[in-house]
Amino acid sequence: VQIAGEFAGSLVVEVSLDGEHYQAVGDPITTPAVVQLALTVKFLRVRVTAETAGPLIALFAGFDARADY
């Protein structure tokens, strides 16, 4: 997960296996960063817990290392 933009605020990366029950992963993010997830999940979201200024950009990318290519 890449968090970018010149923002002032706090956000949390959350994951879920069923799309209904989400759990926070790691500490709140308050500056642009790249967050690596060391687990496989089906659903991922970024929840903004406080934003006071600026645009916020969240980019997601991933692959299934178990896939047979």
Side-chain angles (χ1 to χ4, degrees):
V1 179
Q2 180 179 356
I3 306 301
E6 296 185 20
F7 66 94
S10 179
L11 54 97
V12 177
V13 175
E14 298 179 336
V15 298
S16 173
L17 295 177
D18 63 5
E20 188 174 332
H21 301 93
Y22 283 85
Q23 295 292 320
V25 177
D27 295 326
I29 301 167
T30 58
T31 60
V34 174
V35 178
Q36 183 175 355
L37 300 178
L39 49 115
T40 302
V41 297
K42 188 170 183 180
F43 299 94
L44 178 107
R45 71 182 181 190
V46 173
R47 186 170 51 90
V48 177
T49 57
E51 183 182 10
T52 58
L56 169 66
I57 301 165
L59 304 169
F60 308 99
F63 67 94
D64 186 348
R66 302 165 297 164
D68 185 6
Y69 293 101

